[in-house]
Amino acid sequence: MPTAAKVAALQSHNVSVDYKNFRALEGLNVTVNPGEIIGVIGPNGAGKTTFIKALCGHINLSGGHFTIADKRLKNGQNRQQLIGLVPQDIGLYPHMTARENLTVFAQMMGIKGLKTRKEIVSAALHDVDLMDKQDTLVSALSGGMKRRINVAAAIMHNPKILILDEPTAGVDIPARDSLHRLARSIATSGKAVLLITHELEQAEAICDKLLILAGGQTLAFDTPANIMAQNFSTSREVVVRFSSPPDAPTIHALKPFNFSQGDTATEWSTLTNASEVSFVSAFMASLRGGNDIVREISVRRPGLTHLLHSVERTGRLPKQPSSESRND
Ligand code: ADP
């Protein structure tokens, strides 16, 4: 069946941003369709916040332009109607109920008429699955629920784009999962969702595409599967967990396999292109009987966490050739 030509929710055309003579974002080109969740990731200083501030019109562009639903945004143009922003800080009134908070936001958004406001607030509470908490004081809600109120506030005026800035920072795992499910249901309702996040495994699992920034440059804009395949194709990550921190002879035996220590003294990992069986048997043989301190060996496909470690170390993706130095 022929489909109508899709109008992109957001396009960034060669967007650059300078702070005085420091270039924080360089020639960003992305197209985001309604229904997509885009993960915006990168080390600190990558340009993620600059991208969002530029899109929201909080700072001017030095070059290029954005379009939202095919309409070109002008410097200084108010984009409140087009974009819903959920900031990191929860700006809610603790002594007011969930419904009262949203009513205040609806008034601030210029949503006129008592009846309309009531309906819009009800719809937003419904969308974020908090109807049963509408009369609860915000101070009595959990961190995850407060985030959902913030999401409700950002979607009440039906924007084309929803920006979630670290929505899951500091919330527990069930609340995190429920916020990610909420992001997906909002995308499915036809909005484009930009998710700025440090939750890399989650980003890999839930985002349709990832925008990887470093030093203001775009390192990748593609599906998580394509990015991982391009960078790690046949590589596997081998993780060894020891029952106690390895002694000097064990560390010596690990050397030829390029193991490096992980988050704890007992966890070590490396990348290999060899078959799993031959790698593990060669490694165990090298321990020469000292292998009773090995508690667990796991072999897995390298994930986004591994990729970002590489970006943090080198400023580029594992399979990208090094480029000329920047920003100087
Ligand atoms: P991220 O959000 O990815 O951590 P930012 O967009 O905040 O990165 O910052 C990108 C770069 O721009 C960093 O090097 C940062 O120091 C610099 N920067 C951010 N804001 C300003 C500012 N107001 N003035 C000068 N430099 C800034």
Side-chain angles (χ1 to χ4, degrees):
M1 197 168 65
T3 49
K6 225 194 288 186
V7 175
L10 168 69
Q11 284 186 298
S12 162
H13 303 265
N14 224 15
V15 164
S16 297
V17 176
D18 296 330
Y19 294 109
K20 298 217 167 89
N21 33 19
F22 174 74
R23 179 140 290 196
L25 197 61
E26 167 75 36
L28 175 69
N29 285 297
V30 292
T31 296
V32 184
N33 291 312
E36 286 183 333
I37 302 182
I38 307 298
V40 182
I41 61 175
N44 286 337
K48 304 179 293 293
T49 309
T50 301
F51 165 42
I52 298 310
K53 281 186 181 167
L55 176 59
C56 292
H58 300 159
I59 45 176
N60 283 341
L61 310 186
S62 311
H65 67 274
F66 290 110
T67 56
I68 293 184
D70 271 357
K71 294 207 179 59
R72 182 174 172 148
L73 303 180
K74 300 187 191 75
N75 264 345
Q77 177 186 339
N78 186 327
R79 295 119 197 240
Q80 253 188 350
Q81 292 303 323
L82 300 169
I83 299 171
L85 173 64
V86 183
Q88 278 182 35
D89 300 327
I90 302 179
L92 299 172
Y93 302 103
H95 55 284
M96 288 164 64
T97 66
R99 176 174 279 282
E100 285 164 349
N101 265 275
L102 289 178
T103 305
V104 171
F105 284 114
Q107 277 164 335
M108 289 191 317
M109 287 305 299
I111 296 169
K112 299 223 161 47
L114 207 60
K115 184 161 172 280
T116 315
R117 265 203 303 272
K118 221 173 154 189
E119 282 167 8
I120 283 177
V121 168
S122 294
L125 281 164
H126 176 79
D127 286 348
V128 300
D129 201 15
L130 280 180
M131 268 308 249
D132 58 338
K133 299 285 179 198
Q134 59 176 318
D135 297 321
T136 304
L137 290 184
V138 158
S139 56
L141 297 178
S142 68
M145 287 177 189
K146 287 179 191 160
R147 298 279 155 102
R148 282 196 273 154
I149 299 278
N150 270 42
V151 174
I155 58 172
M156 271 191 303
H157 60 298
N158 197 22
K160 304 271 182 218
I161 300 167
L162 177 69
I163 301 170
L164 300 168
D165 190 0
E166 292 282 350
T168 57
V171 301
D172 59 19
I173 290 174
R176 180 196 73 188
D177 292 347
S178 120
L179 281 158
H180 286 151
R181 277 197 302 278
L182 177 59
R184 174 53 69 196
S185 84
I186 290 169
T188 305
S189 77
K191 299 187 201 317
V193 177
L194 299 181
L195 175 67
I196 299 123
T197 185
H198 285 105
E199 303 248 19
L200 299 175
E201 286 185 18
Q202 293 290 306
E204 190 179 346
I206 68 161
C207 293
D208 298 299
K209 284 186 186 156
L210 299 170
L211 170 62
I212 305 181
L213 298 172
Q217 310 280 327
T218 303
L219 301 190
F221 180 58
D222 207 337
T223 61
N226 284 348
I227 291 172
M228 299 319 292
Q230 279 152 15
N231 283 284
F232 293 120
S233 51
T234 57
S235 301
R236 288 291 173 269
E237 185 181 15
V238 180
V239 182
V240 178
R241 287 189 185 81
F242 295 99
S243 44
S244 56
D247 56 11
T250 308
I251 291 175
H252 184 73
L254 290 172
K255 271 230 166 83
F257 300 93
N258 290 322
F259 274 95
S260 54
Q261 193 187 307
D263 292 338
T264 60
T266 53
E267 185 183 305
W268 291 67
S269 70
T270 186
L271 279 190
T272 178
N273 283 315
S275 88
E276 292 161 22
V277 175
S278 60
F279 182 92
V280 171
S281 60
F283 161 67
M284 292 303 268
S286 78
L287 294 177
R288 295 177 204 284
N291 52 18
D292 50 340
I293 63 159
V294 172
R295 195 156 58 92
E296 184 189 328
I297 299 180
S298 53
V299 181
R300 63 187 183 197
R301 184 178 63 81
L304 202 52
T305 307
H306 207 100
L307 189 114
L308 255 282
H309 278 160
S310 165
V311 171
E312 275 162 12
R313 275 199 314 273
T314 65
R316 58 194 167 84
L317 295 174
K319 280 287 163 66
Q320 253 168 2
S322 66
S323 57
E324 68 289 349
S325 63
R326 302 183 294 259
N327 303 335
D328 48 17

